[in-house]
Structure formats: C-alpha cells, structure tokens
Amino acid sequence: MAGGPGMVTPKGGSIFDRLSASLNVLGSLLILAVMLLINFDVFGRLLFNEPLSGVPEMVRLSIVAIVFLQITHTLRNRRFIRSDVLIGRMLARGTPAGYLLQAFHHFVGAILLAIIFYFTIDRFDRAWRIDEYVGTEGDFTAPVWPIYLIILIGCAGTCLQFLMHLVTDIRDARRAAGKSS
C-alpha cells in the first residue's frame, strides 16, 4: 500500500479507495456532531434546565452509523483489531501457513459481513416501506432507514475488502510456498 502511517488514502487512488476514505471522513464528522450534540444537551440541561429532545436516540443510532461508515477504511488500511500472537509470528517468518491462516480470517470476516448484510436487507426494506421512525411523536422523531442503508453500504464495502485481502493472502501464500520449495 502506498504511503505510511496516518495516510488516509493514496492520492489518485481507486474509486473504492476514495469511497472508503470518504465514508471514513463522514464517520469522523458524525463523531464530531455527536460530541457537539451531547455537549449542547449537557450545557442546556445545566444552564437552562432544558435538555435537547432525542439526544439518547440520536447517539444510539449514530454509534451504529459511525461503526459502519468507518469499518471498511479501517480494514483497508490494515488497522482492524485482531490478535497477532500466532498470525503475526507466522507472517513475520513468511510461511505459507501464516498467509493461509490470515486468508481464513479474511474469509470468515467476509462471511460474517455477508450474513449481516443479508439480514439487514429486510429491515431496511421494512423501515423504508412503512416509514419507520424512532422517538416519540410530538417530541422527537427520526427515520430509521438511513441507518439501515449505512449498515448495508458498510457491510458491502467491508465484505468486498475482506475478499480483496483474501485474494492477496492466497497469492502471497503461493509465492511463499514457491520460495520454500
């Protein structure tokens, strides 16, 4: 991958690179918005005894959105959390088994994201069709379908990224096997 630590996306990168980075930036902006919202709520409650309506619901939904907006970029830049006790040592030695174990990790990740995607489609469809809202009418309401759409986009992008890593791992395992023979 081009660049070093802290690099958001390679300049002139692929459409997938730019989309991944853009969703990541959107997730970061959402974090900022949630932080401001919580602070306005706290200060409104403290100074004027008037909390903002719907803050708990908006924070709850935003956390889900933030995760799915940023997960693809996190995986793409290989900053996804995992234990490298076994895989890291095997990859450091350049063994084919290390690459194959990592490929299995990426395969399982792709399967899990595909399952989440599959089961979210019906929820998105239902929320869209019946115009589902969260909150209390007259106090605060927000549509639910945008959150499900973000989950679908995040799952699709992350599943695709897992599959791209899987292909790379298999290629690297073949290359490592060729060197060891």
Side-chain angles (χ1 to χ4, degrees):
M1 179 165 79
M7 184 169 183
V8 174
T9 187
K11 190 171 185 168
S14 71
I15 292 172
F16 191 71
D17 287 329
R18 289 183 294 219
L19 179 62
S20 168
S22 297
L23 292 174
N24 185 56
V25 168
L26 189 59
S28 296
L29 291 173
L30 188 53
I31 291 171
L32 177 65
V34 167
M35 181 192 70
L36 291 172
L37 187 68
I38 291 170
N39 280 294
F40 286 139
D41 183 51
V42 168
F43 286 117
R45 191 181 302 262
L46 178 71
L47 299 174
F48 309 112
N49 201 24
E50 281 294 321
L52 295 176
S53 297
V55 171
E57 290 89 353
M58 290 171 51
V59 169
R60 179 174 55 93
L61 293 173
S62 294
I63 289 170
V64 173
I66 289 164
V67 167
F68 282 95
L69 285 169
Q70 295 188 318
I71 193 169
T72 303
H73 191 71
T74 302
L75 180 63
R76 187 153 186 79
N77 287 299
R78 297 192 183 271
R79 298 193 186 256
F80 207 70
I81 297 173
R82 74 169 186 205
S83 175
D84 272 347
V85 173
L86 179 62
I87 296 176
R89 288 181 183 171
M90 294 172 79
L91 290 173
R93 288 187 294 212
T95 64
Y99 293 110
L100 292 174
L101 187 57
Q102 183 169 260
F104 178 73
H105 165 81
H106 289 138
F107 175 73
V108 170
I111 294 297
L112 291 175
L113 269 290
I115 290 169
I116 294 170
F117 183 90
Y118 176 78
F119 284 104
T120 303
I121 290 172
D122 286 339
R123 288 179 167 214
F124 169 75
D125 182 54
R126 181 177 179 272
W128 177 269
R129 276 186 295 105
I130 68 169
D131 208 20
E132 183 179 350
Y133 283 81
V134 66
T136 307
E137 200 169 313
D139 183 32
F140 167 82
T141 57
V144 176
W145 69 264
I147 301 303
Y148 289 127
L149 180 60
I150 290 170
I151 292 170
L152 289 172
I153 291 169
C155 283
T158 308
C159 183
L160 179 60
Q161 185 60 59
F162 270 124
L163 292 173
M164 289 189 294
H165 282 328
L166 174 66
V167 169
T168 301
D169 294 335
I170 292 170
R171 185 192 65 224
D172 291 344
R174 286 182 179 156
R175 189 177 305 139
K179 287 181 182 178
S180 64
S181 53

